[in-house]
Amino acid sequence: MEQIISFFEAQDPVMAALIATIFTWLVTGLGASLVFLFKDMNRKLFDGMLGFTGGVMVAASFWSLLAPGIEMSEGEGFIKVIPAFVGFSLGALFIFGLDKVLPHLHINFKENRKEGVKTKWHKSVLLTLAITLHNIPEGLAVGVLFGGAAAGLEGASIGGAVALALGIGLQNFPEGFSVAMPLRGLGLSRWKSFHYGHLSAIVEPFAAVLGAWAVLSFEPILPYALCFAAGAMIFVVIEEVVPESQLERNTDIATLGFIGGFLVMMTLDVGLG
């Protein structure tokens, strides 16, 4: 692991963010490739994977984003929490706005529950866009951490950025599978299902490069940017991930998956960060 961290320390921060999120994208593709091996998806397994995804995202939001964002903020008392308050609020509102505008359909929801502007796009496209929506803050978070670490700002480290990329990669594996299998169930070929599954995470490298560049260009925004990513991720978990994991009443499995994901991400962040 030390060699991996050393490798990223030797890279330009924007390039490091790009490489890290290409990894998370490839892991999504690896998960989507399971569509070639299985005919259908066990619903209990799916809900457990969704819970795991939610746990990773919540843990990452606190350990990798909110806590460092507050730590590096200036001032004392209520003044110190202002960047976190503002950034978190703007991040949640950003995804809220995209959710209202971008046409999408959450996995396992019926077509009459489409969200965003009305469109005649095929259900497969809408399902892919639903996952793409919550990959934006994930990529942004990785890029912001790499940018902050390169700038030498307290609370941001290459180890923490690597830990976040690993955690997101872990939850992207079941995510790719959870996109590809429902698309296969709609009648798409295995290749098309795989194609849409891996494309759902292609936005992560773009968001990461943007995040790293923004922090390097405007260092004072780092606390706001970290908390912005946290707010966006928490909104996704509460609005999408948790409700979907509860649809079939596999609440115990989904909850245990959530706890497992949280523990894994917390361990990675504390151990490497």
Side-chain angles (χ1 to χ4, degrees):
M1 186 59 67
E2 290 181 0
Q3 292 178 334
I4 295 176
I5 295 176
S6 297
F7 168 79
F8 280 104
E9 287 176 340
Q11 305 298 317
D12 174 83
V14 174
M15 180 57 67
L18 178 62
I19 293 172
T21 45
I22 286 177
F23 161 76
T24 63
W25 172 33
L26 291 177
V27 175
T28 305
L30 189 61
S33 69
L34 294 179
V35 74
F36 296 107
L37 301 177
F38 299 96
K39 292 183 179 180
D40 52 28
M41 181 170 58
N42 182 282
R43 180 66 206 206
K44 290 183 178 180
L45 176 62
F46 174 75
D47 288 338
M49 291 190 302
L50 275 179
F52 182 88
T53 295
V56 168
M57 293 176 73
V58 169
S61 295
F62 176 74
W63 296 99
S64 299
L65 302 170
L66 269 175
I70 294 172
E71 181 181 345
M72 67 182 62
S73 298
E74 298 179 355
E76 299 292 337
F78 289 113
I79 300 299
K80 191 173 182 65
V81 82
I82 288 176
F85 184 94
V86 173
F88 191 92
S89 300
L90 291 177
L93 289 173
F94 172 70
I95 298 298
F96 174 78
L98 283 182
D99 191 65
K100 296 303 180 184
V101 174
L102 184 69
H104 63 283
L105 176 66
H106 296 308
I107 297 170
N108 294 314
F109 279 27
K110 296 181 180 179
E111 286 200 62
N112 61 3
R113 297 188 64 179
K114 294 177 183 177
E115 297 182 17
V117 298
K118 293 183 179 180
T119 179
K120 295 182 180 179
W121 291 350
H122 192 271
K123 187 176 180 180
S124 59
V125 176
L126 298 177
L127 287 169
T128 305
L129 286 176
I131 299 297
T132 302
L133 185 64
H134 78 65
N135 280 323
I136 294 174
E138 293 173 6
L140 182 64
V142 173
V144 166
L145 268 184
F146 272 111
L153 298 177
E154 184 180 358
S157 68
I158 295 295
V162 170
L164 180 60
L166 286 174
I168 289 175
L170 283 174
Q171 62 99 24
N172 274 4
F173 181 83
E175 190 173 275
F177 183 59
S178 69
V179 176
M181 289 306 299
L183 294 178
R184 177 61 178 159
L186 290 176
L188 273 69
S189 68
R190 283 187 167 87
W191 275 108
K192 282 190 175 181
S193 299
F194 166 75
H195 184 63
Y196 280 117
H198 85 81
L199 279 182
S200 66
I202 198 172
V203 70
E204 288 186 359
F206 294 99
V209 168
L210 176 62
W213 171 82
V215 169
L216 287 170
S217 301
F218 311 98
E219 286 187 18
I221 73 168
L222 180 59
Y224 296 90
L226 287 171
C227 298
F228 180 96
M233 290 175 71
I234 292 296
F235 184 93
V236 167
V237 172
I238 301 303
E239 197 272 340
E240 176 186 341
V241 177
V242 170
E244 286 185 21
S245 71
Q246 307 294 319
L247 281 178
E248 296 297 322
R249 299 182 180 179
N250 295 317
T251 55
D252 289 343
I253 294 174
T255 301
L256 290 174
F258 184 99
I259 297 299
F262 189 98
L263 290 173
V264 167
M265 186 65 238
M266 179 183 67
T267 302
L268 283 173
D269 191 86
V270 175
L272 297 177

